[in-house]
């Protein structure tokens, strides 16, 4: 159990870092910490990201748009190493004052339009290309409801359960129990919904699936937090079925490789500038050529 003797002070003060995997980069202040311009590639869209669940949402959508033959969705994806603090460079903060990945710049119309927050980027691109978002009002409302459900619920999974179960410097029962209960409630809700729906929005594969899959799909497949047994993820059979179905899509398989710096080297495409990069510039090939 947590230390019951702790009494919060009248005024909180920051003590350099509080430990844990991300303790060294977190501060209670915003803004740039150093000058560093962002690189710019050749395509209409410039993405600055990392293959965390929030980053994967966007690269999946880009690859799905390109798979539809929408050449105007060409993009460059530059790696932002959050453990090295790249997100606090002046260039990145200039397009995302919140210093979180992903961040996007749309240069397609001759002006630079920055977009940050993964849900906002999904909605922006889906509307721009009129793809993966329903047009009919009721179905559109359903899609947006699930998209924003993920945006609101994801922090309970990542910043709540994931932090206290996997990343906190010490394990305490109360926060783990609190957030495990909420995550299991979310999984149960998804499981009930997917019992009668092929995708999140019925028969239509949408940005709602792309938002939810990198978080909850990865969870039921045992790919984040090493918590599959703890949460009994196999019991959510409809979520497991849906997750497997999404994961088999070729665009999804490509999207989850982009800006990835861990796992098998053949599955890491740290920077993406061309469709051929998936064949020619994965990390195993780059290291073999050195």
């Amino acid at each position: 159990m947590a230390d019951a003797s702790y009494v919060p002070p009248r005024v909180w003060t920051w003590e350099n870092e509080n430990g844990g995997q991300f303790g060294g980069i977190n501060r209670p202040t915003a803004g740039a910490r150093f000058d560093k311009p962002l690189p710019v590639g050749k395509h209409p869209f410039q993405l600055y990201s990392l293959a965390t669940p929030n980053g994967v949402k966007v690269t999946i959508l880009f690859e799905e748009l390109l798979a539809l033959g929408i050449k105007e969705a060409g993009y460059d994806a530059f790696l932002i190493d959050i453990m090295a603090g790249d997100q606090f460079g002046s260039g990145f903060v200039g397009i995302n004052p919140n210093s979180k990945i992903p961040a996007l710049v749309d240069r397609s119309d001759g002006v630079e339009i920055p977009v940050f927050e993964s849900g906002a980027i999904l909605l922006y691109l889906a509307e721009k290309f009129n793809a993966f978002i329903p047009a009919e009002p009721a179905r559109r409302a359903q899609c947006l409801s699930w998209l924003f459900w993920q945006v609101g619920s994801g922090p309970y999974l990542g910043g709540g359960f994931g932090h206290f179960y996997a990343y906190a410097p010490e394990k305490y029962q109360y926060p783990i129990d609190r957030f495990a209960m909420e995550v299991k409630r979310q999984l149960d809700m998804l499981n009930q919904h997917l019992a009668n729906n092929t995708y999140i929005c019925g028969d239509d594969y949408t940005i709602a699936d792309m938002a939810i899959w990198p978080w909850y799909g990865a969870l039921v497949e045992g790919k984040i937090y090493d918590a599959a047994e703890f949460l009994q993820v196999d019991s959510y059979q409809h979520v497991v079925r849906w997750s497997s179905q999404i994961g088999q899509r070729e665009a999804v398989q490509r999207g989850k490789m982009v800006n990835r710096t861990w796992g098998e080297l053949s599955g890491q495409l740290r920077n993406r500038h061309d469709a051929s990069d998936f064949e020619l510039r994965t990390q195993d090939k780059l290291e073999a050529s050195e």
Side-chain angles (χ1 to χ4, degrees):
M1 295 293 291
D3 183 0
S5 67
Y6 175 71
V7 177
R10 291 180 62 86
V11 177
W12 181 85
T13 57
W14 178 53
E15 297 179 359
N16 289 335
E17 67 174 79
N18 59 0
Q21 184 171 344
F22 301 98
I25 61 173
N26 291 327
R27 298 180 186 178
T29 55
R33 300 178 188 174
F34 53 89
D35 289 328
K36 184 179 181 180
L38 290 172
V40 177
K42 64 182 180 180
H43 290 104
F45 295 94
Q46 303 297 298
L47 178 67
Y48 305 94
S49 192
L50 181 69
T52 66
N54 284 335
V56 167
K57 297 175 189 177
V58 177
T59 49
I60 285 175
L61 176 54
F62 268 122
E63 292 300 325
E64 291 283 11
L65 290 169
L66 292 170
L68 287 181
I70 302 175
K71 296 180 181 179
E72 295 80 3
Y75 74 107
D76 293 278
F78 293 95
L79 174 66
I80 297 296
D81 185 345
I82 63 173
M83 298 307 294
D86 290 349
Q87 69 275 31
F88 301 113
S90 57
F92 190 87
V93 174
I95 62 172
N96 184 359
N98 196 39
S99 293
K100 304 288 185 181
I101 63 91
L104 177 72
V105 177
D106 177 2
R107 304 164 69 235
S108 62
D109 294 325
V111 295
E112 294 191 355
I113 301 175
V115 190
F116 64 93
E117 290 297 320
S118 58
I121 295 172
L122 291 182
L123 182 56
Y124 178 83
L125 292 173
E127 289 186 331
K128 186 177 184 74
F129 294 110
N130 193 28
F132 300 111
I133 185 168
E136 192 275 321
R139 292 167 58 238
R140 179 183 172 83
Q142 181 188 39
C143 179
L144 294 180
S145 294
W146 280 104
L147 172 63
F148 284 95
W149 171 82
Q150 190 284 315
V151 171
S153 297
Y156 287 98
L157 172 53
F161 175 77
H163 175 77
F164 287 105
Y165 184 82
Y167 300 138
E170 297 181 49
K171 299 289 191 293
Y172 294 118
Q173 183 178 350
Y174 175 78
I176 291 175
D177 283 352
R178 169 66 180 87
F179 289 111
M181 177 177 65
E182 173 60 16
V183 168
K184 287 182 70 66
R185 186 194 69 80
Q186 293 174 3
L187 286 171
D188 186 51
M189 183 189 68
L190 281 172
N191 199 57
Q192 291 184 42
H193 179 71
L194 288 166
N196 300 305
N197 293 277
T198 303
Y199 297 106
I200 295 297
C201 296
D203 294 330
D204 296 325
Y205 173 61
T206 69
I207 54 173
D209 297 282
M210 299 177 206
I212 296 169
W213 182 82
W215 282 104
Y216 296 88
L219 185 65
V220 298
E221 291 179 7
K223 295 179 179 178
I224 55 174
Y225 309 133
D226 194 24
E229 182 179 7
F230 181 76
L231 295 173
Q232 297 177 295
V233 296
D234 289 345
S235 64
Y236 304 102
Q237 58 182 332
H238 302 297
V239 184
V240 172
R241 183 272 307 163
W242 165 83
S243 179
S244 176
Q245 186 173 356
I246 300 292
Q248 291 174 23
R249 298 178 66 91
E250 291 185 2
V252 171
Q253 294 172 16
R254 291 192 298 273
K256 69 181 184 179
M257 293 172 61
V258 178
N259 300 142
R260 188 176 181 88
T261 62
W262 58 89
E264 294 291 334
L265 294 178
S266 60
Q268 298 180 29
L269 183 60
R270 297 186 179 182
N271 294 281
R272 187 266 189 214
H273 303 294
D274 190 83
S276 64
D277 290 347
F278 291 100
E279 297 296 328
L280 303 176
R281 298 189 61 80
T282 52
Q283 197 62 23
D284 58 325
K285 294 181 174 65
L286 292 180
E287 293 190 10
S289 65
E290 292 179 352

